[in-house]
Every structure is written in C-alpha cells, then in structure tokens.
Amino acid sequence: MNKNDLRVLKTKQNIHLTLTNLLKKKPLPQIKVTELCKLANINRGTFYFHYQEVGDVFKEFFEEIMMDLRESYNEPYRHTKYIEREKLDPKTVRIFHHVQKYEEFYRIILSKEVSAEYYYMLFDEIRSILVEDKYTAHLKENYLYSYSSNAIIGLIIEWYRRDFQESADEMNIHLVNILKLC
Amino acid sequence: MNKNDLRVLKTKQNIHLTLTNLLKKKPLPQIKVTELCKLANINRGTFYFHYQEVGDVFKEFFEEIMMDLRESYNEPYRHTKYIEREKLDPKTVRIFHHVQKYEEFYRIILSKEVSAEYYYMLFDEIRSILVEDKYTAHLKENYLYSYSSNAIIGLIIEWYRRDFQESADEMNIHLVNILKLC
DNA sequence: TATTTAATCGAACAATTGTATATTAACTAT
DNA sequence: ATAGTTAATATACAATTGTTCGATTAAATA
C-alpha cells in the first residue's frame, strides 16, 4: 500500500471527513464500519484494507493532537502571569490551553465508553514530554514522571467532568494552589 | 428478576466461574458472549437476561475488588516502617498491597485493550476514599482530590508496566521519595 | 403437595463483522 | 501514450451480536 497514491489519499481523506461529521452526531463506539463506509461511499473491503476498526481512524486524528500538545509545551511562556517562575515550570501548564483548543476531541478521549488505549496514548505523550524536560531531567526517581503525568491528567479529568466550565487560566491557578499545598 | 432465586444464583455463579477460567486463557475483549455461554452451558438469551456484555460480568468482580481496596485503606497502619507518620498519611500507601493482592485483576483493568470504564471506576473509588479521609477533609481545593488520586494511579500504571517487579513495600518507598521531592 | 411464578431454553431474525476472491478502475513510471 | 501495478470494487461467506417469541421447566409460595 503506497500512502502517496492519490487513490489512497482520497480514500483516507474521505474517511476522515465522514468520521468527523459522524462524531458530531454520535459517540465513537457507536459508529460502525458499515455505517461509515456507506456514508463515505466506499467499499467496506477498502476500509479493512487500510484500517482494522473505526478507532484506527480516530488514532490518526490523535497523532495531530499529540503533535500540538508537544508544541504547546515547548512554546515560550508568554501567558504565565499566574505562575511563580521560581516554584513551577510554567510550560507545564500550557497543557490546559491545548486541551481547551481540542476540547471536542478530549471529550471523546476521556469518555468512559472508549478504549483505554487513548488514555495511555495521552499519558505516554505527557510523560515523555516531562522526561525530556530539562527542568526535571536531573531527577533520579523514575516513578515521579508517571506520578506527575497522571496527576496532571487527573486535573484534566476533573475539568472534563465539570464540562470544561473553568478557563485554561483558571486551571493553571488550581494547579498552582495544589503545588503549594504539597 | 429476583437475585435471590436459586436459578439466578446458579446461573451467575456458573458464568462467573466460566469467565474466571476463560480469563486465564485469553484477554477480556477477546471473550465472546457466544463462547462464554457455550462453555457455561447456558442459553445466550439467559446471558442477555442478566447482562449486556461480557464486561458486565467482569464489573461484578470489580465490585469485590473495590470493597477490598476500601478495606485496605481503612486498615490500621501496622506496616508503616518506611513511612514518616508526620509527613504522610500512611494509610494511603496500603493501596499498593491491595493491588499486589489482586495483581491478576489489575493486569486486566490496566491493559490498554479494555474499556476506559474500569479505569474510571478505580479512579472514582480512590478519589472518594481520599475525599472521605479525615486527614484531608479540611482542604478546600477540590481539584486536589482528582490530582492526588490519579497521581497514585500513575504509580500503579508504572508498576504494572514494569510487570509488578517491585514489592508493595518498595512502592511505598517510591511514593515517599516523590512526596519528599514535591 | 399443588399451584403459581418467572427463569431458562430453543429457535429464529436482521445486522454487523471480518475475511476472501475475482474483476475493474485508477494511478505510476517509463 | 502505454504498460504494468495496485487500490478499489462487487460479491459472497461464516461467525457473532442483540433481540424477540412462545414453550418448558425449575423454583418459590401458599
């Protein structure tokens, strides 16, 4: 399968567009291969030629989101008015702005109906960002990275469950408050 | 449906036993309703009379595990030699001993193939334990509970990925080290 | 013990899945 | 522009799912 073949590009683009539209109407686990193909006007065999299940298409969206997450983190800290530079790496908290940007995707990723795979993809991404960070690179306690990564996700879960009512900046305040308490 | 009816008890017991055996051979998502019923010698209609999917049976195991988790946490601290009483609520770290006890179940709960639902069931349980804890009851920052609960699960995820090589006591040491660093 | 209740069964149903194969159409490279 | 390649198609298949139905039978109850 040549991913530069125009037919492949068109098919995948078609599937992506159709899935995006479907996700506005129903949750990911309810979207069947049959339905997706019917709407995209492609043969079901063609779908299985490229993917194993609908979730695999979603994973391709996921890659883009994870790229933005990484970029968000590496962005210079222009928005750190609430953060005390000495006490906390301000970059960390750019994560909330990223989540806000992709809110609709995070509603899917964090919903309990989907596979846990997406959760761990997010976890791995955040963890590897923390590992590569120079601020914490000196630390020997390896468990700390999993601890911290998942702690941040804990905040995002809570935020999601409150329907993303707070702003990203307010989430930063919550994080700072917590780090003060610990 | 009367859950005290002998027939119901027998059927459920039968299904539980069969699923337990099947889980020794293959991962949860690969276990089909048809297969489970065939092995249990019950009608597929009977299964759907009690459950919606195989995962619902697993959830009944889950309830028992969560009960033990709660009990573990409320246990008096007899095993706290590594913990400095003043700095850390020692009960928290009884969680690792509980995970060790139910290791085989946590391998399923934490595997990426299953639904995220189990993860959130674990999260909710740990979170509500922390919320009800008198040590932290005075705290106003509600996000802290989600932060801390998920941080602990982060350690468990790391532990799971290292194939539970460390002992529960060693996990306590990791936790103490991390809390010292923060 | 006899009667009532309801759990279980057997069978059938449409829908979806996952796979396979031969054919057609579209693309690439020369 | 042509030939070779291969993605996409149409079609068929067995297996599983989720649901429904009346018939059966085991259990509760009086």
Side-chain angles (χ1 to χ4, degrees):
Chain A
M1 200 235 334
N2 175 12
K3 65 176 187 148
N4 294 321
D5 191 313
L6 272 184
R7 290 169 294 184
V8 174
L9 286 170
K10 271 197 275 183
T11 299
K12 287 204 161 194
Q13 202 174 324
N14 186 1
I15 291 175
H16 279 205
L17 201 66
T18 310
L19 180 58
T20 306
N21 286 330
L22 265 173
L23 281 172
K24 289 169 188 158
K25 290 170 199 155
K26 55 173 76 178
L28 183 60
Q30 282 179 31
I31 298 171
K32 305 296 173 192
V33 174
T34 305
E35 184 186 17
L36 182 61
C37 293
K38 218 167 264 172
L39 284 169
N41 284 311
I42 60 151
N43 191 273
R44 211 157 48 82
T46 306
F47 178 91
Y48 283 111
F49 184 66
H50 294 291
Y51 307 101
Q52 305 237 12
E53 49 180 8
V54 178
D56 292 337
V57 187
F58 187 74
K59 272 182 215 161
E60 290 182 340
F61 297 155
F62 210 98
E63 305 297 338
E64 295 174 35
I65 301 170
M66 290 303 101
M67 271 186 54
D68 183 84
L69 170 58
R70 198 165 272 276
E71 284 165 17
S72 296
Y73 190 83
N74 292 325
E75 215 186 298
Y77 28 104
R78 284 176 280 110
H79 320 70
T80 56
K81 47 184 172 179
Y82 299 117
I83 310 299
E84 298 158 56
R85 292 198 175 196
E86 306 309 311
K87 292 191 180 178
L88 171 69
D89 175 13
K91 286 179 183 173
T92 308
V93 295
R94 291 300 299 161
I95 287 174
F96 297 122
H97 291 85
H98 155 83
V99 173
Q100 198 164 48
K101 183 174 167 188
Y102 289 97
E103 188 187 305
E104 290 313 316
F105 279 102
Y106 278 94
R107 284 187 196 277
I108 297 166
I109 294 162
L110 297 173
S111 67
K112 69 179 190 344
E113 291 81 14
V114 302
S115 162
E117 192 165 6
Y118 307 123
Y119 186 95
Y120 290 117
M121 286 168 78
L122 176 61
F123 173 83
D124 287 333
E125 195 64 43
I126 295 179
R127 191 181 187 281
S128 78
I129 287 173
L130 290 188
V131 168
E132 287 161 23
D133 193 306
K134 324 96 205 168
Y135 280 83
T136 53
H138 62 287
L139 297 171
K140 289 169 189 169
E141 178 58 77
N142 269 308
Y143 273 94
L144 176 61
Y145 296 112
S146 298
Y147 179 93
S148 306
S149 313
N150 224 37
I152 297 285
I153 301 181
L155 293 182
I156 299 173
I157 291 172
E158 184 73 30
W159 193 21
Y160 155 73
R161 289 183 169 188
R162 296 184 186 189
D163 210 24
F164 296 111
Q165 292 290 321
E166 285 92 342
S167 70
D169 285 330
E170 283 170 325
M171 288 306 293
N172 282 347
I173 300 173
H174 283 301
L175 178 58
V176 172
N177 287 343
I178 287 169
L179 294 177
K180 274 182 192 158
L181 285 168
C182 291
Chain B
M1 200 236 331
N2 176 12
K3 65 174 186 149
N4 294 321
D5 192 313
L6 269 185
R7 290 168 296 184
V8 174
L9 287 171
K10 271 197 276 184
T11 299
K12 289 204 159 192
Q13 201 174 325
N14 187 359
I15 291 175
H16 279 206
L17 201 66
T18 310
L19 180 58
T20 306
N21 286 330
L22 266 172
L23 282 173
K24 288 170 190 161
K25 290 170 201 156
K26 56 172 76 179
L28 183 61
Q30 283 180 30
I31 297 170
K32 306 295 174 191
V33 174
T34 304
E35 183 186 19
L36 182 61
C37 293
K38 218 167 266 175
L39 283 169
N41 286 309
I42 59 150
N43 192 274
R44 214 156 46 84
T46 305
F47 178 90
Y48 283 111
F49 184 68
H50 294 292
Y51 306 101
Q52 305 237 13
E53 47 180 10
V54 178
D56 292 337
V57 186
F58 186 74
K59 273 183 213 158
E60 290 181 340
F61 297 155
F62 211 97
E63 305 297 338
E64 293 174 36
I65 301 170
M66 290 303 103
M67 270 187 54
D68 183 83
L69 171 57
R70 198 164 272 277
E71 284 165 18
S72 295
Y73 190 82
N74 292 325
E75 213 186 299
Y77 28 103
R78 283 176 282 110
H79 320 69
T80 56
K81 46 184 173 180
Y82 298 116
I83 310 299
E84 297 159 58
R85 290 198 175 195
E86 305 309 312
K87 292 192 179 174
L88 171 69
D89 176 12
K91 287 178 182 175
T92 309
V93 293
R94 292 299 299 161
I95 287 175
F96 298 121
H97 291 84
H98 154 83
V99 173
Q100 199 166 46
K101 183 173 165 188
Y102 288 97
E103 189 187 304
E104 289 314 315
F105 279 101
Y106 277 93
R107 284 187 195 275
I108 297 166
I109 294 162
L110 297 173
S111 67
K112 69 179 193 338
E113 291 80 15
V114 301
S115 162
E117 191 165 8
Y118 308 124
Y119 186 95
Y120 291 117
M121 286 170 77
L122 176 62
F123 173 83
D124 287 333
E125 194 66 43
I126 294 179
R127 192 182 186 281
S128 78
I129 286 173
L130 289 187
V131 168
E132 287 162 22
D133 193 305
K134 325 95 207 170
Y135 281 82
T136 54
H138 61 288
L139 296 171
K140 289 169 190 170
E141 179 57 78
N142 269 308
Y143 272 93
L144 175 62
Y145 296 113
S146 297
Y147 179 93
S148 306
S149 312
N150 223 39
I152 297 285
I153 300 181
L155 293 183
I156 299 172
I157 290 171
E158 184 73 31
W159 193 21
Y160 156 72
R161 289 182 169 190
R162 297 184 185 189
D163 209 24
F164 297 110
Q165 291 291 320
E166 285 92 342
S167 70
D169 285 330
E170 284 169 326
M171 288 305 294
N172 282 347
I173 299 173
H174 284 301
L175 179 58
V176 172
N177 287 342
I178 287 169
L179 294 177
K180 274 182 194 160
L181 286 168
C182 292

